[in-house]
Amino acid sequence: MLRVDGLSAWYGEAQALRDVSLHVDEGEIVTLVGRNGAGKTTLLRCLMGLHAGASGTVRFLDEDITALGPHKRARRGLGYVPDDRGIFATLSVEENLLLPPKTAGKGPEPWPLERVYETFPRLRDRRRFPGTKLSGGEQQMLALARVLRTGARLLLCDEPTEGLSPLIVAQIGDILREVKAAGVTVLLIEQNVHFAATVADRHHLLAEGRIVQSMDNAEVRARESELLQYLGI
Ligand code: ATP
């Protein structure tokens, strides 16, 4: 579904990604783990077309999208959930959900509001609440739901569990599994390797802008404490 070849990225003179190649197959959940500053966010931003200083190629659904801007990538079915969640704080939950344009293009139909509320019952309960009144977990659910509304086929999620309590992290896990069951593919940044092994199929470890290891769940589980120590968690 997604194939990245030789991706490098810079901030001025400083190189943040070095020759990254990876693929994500349809229906998979794949994680990117790595210490702060390893290049994970830059990688997702490059995939969404949000980072100008990059080289390499990105193919999505058999099309070279390297030269396309973020809106065109969104129209083809890429959805980005940034780490700041990008919620409009003064708008209600429902107003946030009604905002996105229906950019799915040839992808599956955008999710109707009713389907969003079935997947995220908490958002139905909170639908008249302004963004400012939501908990961190509710904000994360809203950010995911908003991108699903666009009919995205591949979600690029920047650390959806960051700062959330274990109970809410478990709920995010249920939602990601549900999203996967609904046919949506996910590439996510995740520092919680224990959680990552419960939701994902494969994992890539980034260090100093490079993929230094690719692992399956069994390997991540076997090396959980070593990885947590390495990540400084
Ligand atoms: P974190 O979890 O801390 O966000 P990350 O793995 O997502 O880490 P990136 O945010 O992609 O890492 O950063 C990769 C490198 O690029 C780091 O060295 C960082 O300092 C640098 N960098 C990130 N954003 C900028 C920027 N706007 N200007 C200059 N350098 C940046």
Side-chain angles (χ1 to χ4, degrees), residues 8-61:
S8 294
W10 291 262
Y11 291 95
E13 300 280 293
Q15 190 165 359
L17 291 178
R18 298 166 192 273
D19 198 22
V20 169
S21 298
L22 61 86
H23 72 276
V24 181
D25 292 333
E26 186 149 19
E28 281 192 305
I29 298 182
V30 176
T31 70
L32 300 168
V33 294
R35 287 176 175 163
N36 287 347
K40 306 175 299 293
T41 298
T42 306
L43 176 51
L44 290 196
R45 288 178 55 82
C46 285
L47 298 180
M48 199 62 213
L50 291 165
H51 185 81
S55 68
T57 57
V58 182
R59 294 186 67 81
F60 179 60
L61 296 172

Side-chain angles (χ1 to χ4, degrees), residues 170-186:
Q171 284 176 16
I172 299 289
D174 290 341
I175 287 164
L176 288 174
R177 280 184 282 269
E178 218 168 308
V179 161
K180 176 179 168 162
V184 179
T185 306
V186 183

Side-chain angles (χ1 to χ4, degrees), residues 2 48 73 78-79 159 203 213:
L2 178 81
M48 199 62 213
R73 293 186 195 209
L78 272 174
E159 224 174 337
H203 314 266
Q213 273 182 61

